[in-house]
Amino acid sequence: MNAARTPHDEARGLWLGLLGVVIFAMTLPMTRLAVGPADDPQLPPLFVTAGRAAFAGLLAAVYLIVTRAPRPRAELVPTFYVSALGTVVGFPLFIGLALRHVDAMHAAVVTGLMPLATAVAAAMWFRQRPSNAFWACASAGCGLVVAFALVQGSGRLTLADALLLGAVASTAMGYVAGAQLASQMRAEQVICWVLVLSLPLTLPVAWWSWPEQPVRAASWGGFAYVTLFSMWLGFFAWYRGLALGGTVRVSQVQLVQPFLSLLFAVPVLGERLDPLTVAFALAVIATVFVGKRLPAHRPA
């Protein structure tokens, strides 16, 4: 059983979680840059999904060999595959397909539901009991995200929205499984083993789906980012943050991720940021600072 968390651990967990969120916030604009819109397609979404995991998996294998990391225990392997299904397959594939048809700002507001999805999945997985005030705060933040989507969008869900919601569910499942693993081994080893165990699938699919048409250098740059940072280094900080600060609480830092993605989409993609977005961002950030001060207990 893990030792009780100290306030210092929780503070470190929140800061590491925030670092992971900043890295992940660039994923949407960089993925949009990699796959391109439907009227100007670049890298195939299937290649971006498999290729980023395959190349990151090769880097992870080198890291594990150099650091002489121990192999995961046999009873943990199923949890590794659950994490891989959510973070290696589900999220990037759904996001890549959706971003062919919607811009990064639209995707950012829909995927803003990830904190609530992760908190619910964590509460069920770890049998945690957050306070009613905590849930109210988390729900308020997600309500702001939904309201923003309704104000900015057409008020209806499309196929792209359904794909984005699939990405949200996949992420919640993968994050919680990864957090459980990170409580039993080093966080950087968790994502490395997730990627290495996925190589028998990701390497052949990446080879099979390699793009045949010419692709812009900027799109390859977006692919390089989601490979090195989104698929690998970002998880070093994120899983360690979840393990130190608690999954239910640290997951609320994700509330700022959609709005960071909005900000990053301006210089990366040239999308327009309006004052209403800034207002919603400030309101959501306020719920994060309130939510992190509310208790979340594990049953005795």
Side-chain angles (χ1 to χ4, degrees):
M1 179 176 290
N2 295 331
R5 296 186 181 95
T6 66
H8 177 68
D9 287 338
E10 292 183 353
R12 286 183 60 205
L14 286 168
W15 281 111
L16 286 169
L18 180 60
L19 175 60
V21 162
V22 171
I23 292 173
F24 294 148
M26 283 287 287
T27 300
L28 292 179
M30 287 300 185
T31 301
R32 171 75 167 182
L33 190 64
V35 300
D39 58 358
D40 184 24
Q42 296 298 309
L43 294 169
L46 182 60
F47 170 75
V48 173
T49 299
R52 77 181 205 164
F55 286 111
L58 295 175
L59 292 172
V62 173
Y63 176 86
L64 292 172
I65 292 171
V66 170
T67 59
R68 299 181 179 180
R71 292 186 178 185
R73 301 194 306 272
E75 65 269 22
L76 296 180
V77 172
T79 308
F80 275 100
Y81 283 121
V82 172
S83 181
L85 184 62
T87 58
V88 174
V89 179
F91 175 79
L93 181 59
F94 287 138
I95 285 293
L97 292 170
L99 285 173
R100 273 283 172 90
H101 304 285
V102 295
D103 59 31
M105 289 193 176
H106 182 94
V109 294
V110 176
T111 55
L113 294 174
M114 284 194 295
L116 182 59
T118 303
V120 170
M124 295 174 62
W125 188 298
F126 297 113
R127 293 186 295 174
Q128 291 174 324
R129 294 175 181 173
S131 65
N132 291 334
F134 177 92
W135 285 115
C137 190
S139 299
C142 291
L144 287 168
V145 170
V146 172
F148 179 84
L150 291 174
V151 170
Q152 294 292 322
S154 60
R156 61 184 181 86
L157 292 178
T158 64
L159 176 59
D161 292 316
L163 291 169
L164 292 170
L165 292 175
V168 169
S170 298
T171 301
M173 175 180 64
Y175 279 177
V176 173
Q180 183 183 22
L181 293 167
S183 68
Q184 304 180 58
M185 58 192 301
R186 294 183 64 85
E188 59 272 20
Q189 294 177 5
V190 171
I191 186 56
C192 287
W193 280 115
V194 166
L195 292 166
V196 168
L197 290 172
S198 303
L199 282 174
L201 171 65
T202 57
L203 269 178
V205 173
W207 178 269
W208 177 78
S209 59
W210 191 276
E212 298 179 354
Q213 76 281 4
V215 175
R216 290 195 298 264
S219 296
W220 282 114
F223 175 77
Y225 182 92
V226 298
T227 297
L228 182 59
F229 292 97
S230 302
M231 194 74 262
W232 192 41
L233 294 178
F235 284 98
F236 283 42
W238 180 244
Y239 281 155
R240 179 55 58 191
L242 293 178
L244 287 174
T247 304
V248 172
R249 177 172 293 153
V250 175
S251 68
Q252 297 314 296
V253 181
Q254 287 177 284
L255 284 169
V256 303
Q257 183 172 328
F259 298 96
L260 290 176
S261 294
L262 294 174
L263 294 174
F264 291 147
V266 175
V268 174
L269 301 171
E271 297 180 10
R272 180 177 174 272
L273 181 66
D274 57 60
L276 185 64
T277 300
V278 177
F280 270 93
L282 294 175
V284 170
I285 290 172
T287 67
V288 175
F289 284 110
V290 174
K292 75 182 182 66
R293 291 176 169 81
L294 298 174
H297 302 296
R298 184 186 297 273

